Amino acid sequence: MAATLGGKLGAAQVHHVVGGDRGWDLSSDVASWSSGRSFRVGDKIWFAYAAAQESIAEVNSPEEYESCDVSNPIRMYTDGIDGIPLDGEGIRYFVSGKEESCKNGLKLHVEVMPFGNPEPEKPRVAVAAAAPPTPSGSARLYGSSVLLLVGLWLCHMAI
């Protein structure tokens, strides 16, 4: 459920599908997709792409990321759907294995924050249903008196 909502429920693991519905594709605007998202240790990012046309490289440095240099990657992903656990804090860099796609913006850097939720929780607005009005003291007294009289009448009839 946390993954579906894209948020955290306590310290639950969140699964992030890179690029949303379009996946890892130039048309998905990966940079916009990632802005404002929180990635934490224990989360998992998923890349979905056409394996025949694309691959993903995790690179070592901001320089390799900026220049789209995949000559010495940490790892290449080529399966078409890859789940990558975010198992440590820090920045990770992912780029398209195709230089042209990478240079056109198909790349992602992820800042992985500590496990948990150190950010202050945003206030939430709750709307409560109006409670039924509480009867006044005289209404309660009147209702109790009626019940007492009905009870006495029933007892008298039974004798």
Side-chain angles (χ1 to χ4, degrees):
M1 183 173 169
T4 304
L5 299 173
K8 293 266 184 206
L9 295 177
Q13 179 184 52
V14 175
H15 293 255
H16 305 274
V17 178
V18 176
D21 292 341
R22 294 176 187 240
W24 181 254
D25 184 79
L26 277 171
S27 67
S28 66
D29 193 5
V30 173
S32 291
W33 171 85
S34 66
S35 68
R37 289 188 187 271
S38 294
F39 300 94
R40 302 216 175 273
V41 171
D43 288 358
K44 196 169 202 177
I45 56 175
W46 289 87
F47 290 95
Y49 53 95
Q53 300 156 0
E54 189 59 71
S55 63
I56 298 165
E58 183 172 4
V59 296
N60 293 290
S61 69
E63 295 78 24
E64 290 174 329
Y65 174 79
E66 289 301 325
S67 67
C68 298
D69 179 3
V70 298
S71 62
N72 188 28
I74 295 170
R75 182 165 177 191
M76 291 294 293
Y77 298 94
T78 59
D79 291 340
I81 185 158
D82 297 293
I84 301 166
L86 302 177
D87 51 8
E89 295 177 37
I91 298 177
R92 295 181 65 179
Y93 302 96
F94 300 93
V95 299
S96 170
K98 291 174 60 180
E99 186 177 3
E100 183 180 335
S101 294
C102 178
K103 296 232 184 240
N104 285 320
L106 192 53
K107 53 186 169 180
L108 172 71
H109 74 278
V110 175
E111 183 175 358
V112 183
M113 306 300 286
F115 181 78
N117 194 10
E119 299 171 18
E121 194 168 318
K122 295 177 182 164
R124 295 184 181 162
V125 178
V127 178
T134 304
S136 67
S138 60
R140 279 192 299 249
L141 181 60
Y142 175 76
S144 297
S145 299
V146 169
L147 287 175
L148 180 62
L149 289 173
V150 169
L152 288 173
W153 181 75
L154 286 173
C155 285
H156 177 69
M157 295 300 288
I159 300 179

